[in-house]
Amino acid sequence: MSHRGKRCFGQHFLHEKAVLHHIIAAINPKTSEHFVEIGPGLGALTALLLPLAQSVDAIEIDRDLIPELINRCQNLGTLRVHAQDVLQFDFSALDIMPLRVVGNLPYNISTPLLFYLISYIDLIQDMHFMLQLEVAERIVASPGSKTYGRLSVMLQYFCEAELLFTVGPGAFTPPPKVDSAIVRLIPRLQEKRQLCDVAKLSEVVRLAFGQRRKTISNSLKKIISNESLLAIGIDPKLRPEQLSVAEFVQIAKN
Ligand code: SAM
């Protein structure tokens, strides 16, 4: 392989075949589905996905990789490469919905990218991502755990989240310094979500976890009184990590 992996683009290319096949089995692609791959790189996943899905839209920021990607994938199916920053990509401009979004994500942008994808959540059927294990654990964390925080509440509000399996650094070239994990995110249908103003929910969660060690009475005093918390059945003396997603939604609705 001639590409050594640019750090600025979080490039760690998957080479271990067993891991690649495990990911594809978890995704279980069908020909009628519309796949979008984020960061195809040199096509390790793309080349396995294309023969099963028949067509893939791939978003890759590093133009230096694209000739090799196209070369590797020719005759495997229809590959539409979008040479741009995924954080600027308009997912709503794609023709067939819903989207199945996959990718071995660049870890340096994974959290902002997950929040960006939330803005398109109703166009998405599901997402399968390779992430830093630490980020994956935060996404799926339950109330009461140390890793439960803003990312857990916001993603679990929109999606069912499951950590499928972990992957060691040796599966990548160059190896990252951390362990990784595959996460499956399935958006909850809009009518099944406890509807609330998402900007308000985001603000409540930001304020609450901004001061993790303080009680919510303290950190949320600008937006909700102790009386109002008690009226919706929430103890003001709790710390943010003790509140369920549904309780944050209750506060945001107040
Ligand atoms: N999918 C390949 C694999 O598994 O071997 C490469 C994965 S590598 C971890 C992340 C890929 O995302 C790289 O190809 C990198 O160039 C690309 N990338 C990084 N930042 C990006 C961005 N903002 N928008 C689109 N692609 C990006």
Side-chain angles (χ1 to χ4, degrees):
M1 189 186 298
S2 51
H3 301 275
R4 281 195 277 139
K6 294 180 190 159
R7 282 184 72 180
C8 61
F9 293 142
Q11 290 176 354
H12 298 280
F13 302 108
L14 260 171
H15 64 78
E16 203 162 296
K17 288 205 167 55
V19 172
L20 285 159
H21 286 286
H22 201 167
I23 297 170
I24 295 291
I27 297 171
N28 190 19
K30 309 265 168 31
T31 49
S32 53
E33 299 166 331
H34 189 174
F35 278 90
V36 181
E37 184 182 357
I38 298 171
L42 297 166
L45 264 177
T46 332
L48 295 177
L49 192 58
L50 261 178
L52 299 168
Q54 303 282 295
S55 102
V56 172
D57 281 273
I59 308 158
E60 174 55 62
I61 199 168
D62 186 354
R63 289 170 187 269
D64 291 346
L65 304 180
I66 292 175
E68 196 166 326
L69 169 70
I70 291 174
N71 190 35
R72 184 168 185 179
C73 294
Q74 60 179 315
N75 306 324
L76 297 178
T78 307
L79 177 65
R80 285 174 295 271
V81 181
H82 306 268
Q84 68 176 92
D85 181 354
V86 64
L87 293 171
Q88 309 278 328
F89 188 77
D90 180 5
F91 285 81
S92 66
L94 293 170
D95 50 358
I96 308 159
M97 303 292 168
L99 306 173
R100 299 197 69 195
V101 187
V102 302
N104 170 16
L105 297 188
Y107 296 167
N108 51 343
I109 59 158
S110 55
T111 303
L113 176 55
L114 290 165
F115 281 105
Y116 182 69
L117 287 165
I118 280 179
S119 63
Y120 292 103
I121 202 76
D122 293 320
L123 307 179
I124 296 174
Q125 178 179 330
D126 62 13
M127 301 178 263
H128 289 81
F129 293 137
M130 177 85 79
L131 293 159
Q132 263 173 272
L133 176 60
E134 179 259 324
V135 173
E137 284 174 341
R138 285 201 276 133
I139 292 172
V140 303
S142 305
S145 80
K146 273 194 186 155
T147 46
Y148 183 70
R150 181 168 169 249
L151 193 61
S152 334
V153 176
M154 294 310 292
L155 280 179
Q156 291 175 31
Y157 171 70
F158 286 101
C159 302
E160 280 174 46
E162 192 183 351
L163 193 160
L164 299 182
F165 55 93
T166 57
V167 180
F172 306 84
T173 309
K177 291 200 173 74
V178 292
D179 282 328
S180 304
I182 292 286
V183 169
R184 174 183 289 147
L185 297 163
I186 303 182
R188 299 180 198 282
L189 292 177
Q190 213 175 19
E191 54 272 25
K192 293 215 169 140
R193 270 183 240 145
Q194 242 196 312
L195 289 185
C196 71
D197 175 348
V198 174
K200 176 94 183 281
L201 176 65
S202 179
E203 176 69 354
V204 168
V205 173
R206 190 183 64 76
L207 284 173
F209 286 104
Q211 313 200 359
R212 249 188 122 85
R213 306 180 79 176
K214 290 196 173 171
T215 62
I216 51 164
S217 159
N218 216 317
S219 52
L220 297 181
K221 65 178 169 235
K222 280 197 190 132
I223 49 176
I224 189 165
S225 66
N226 282 355
E227 292 69 37
S228 302
L229 281 170
L230 288 167
I232 54 173
I234 298 175
D235 180 352
K237 290 197 221 67
L238 292 177
R239 294 186 198 286
E241 64 270 22
Q242 294 173 290
L243 261 60
S244 66
V245 176
E247 287 172 319
F248 278 111
V249 172
Q250 280 300 105
I251 297 173
K253 278 171 127 175
N254 215 261

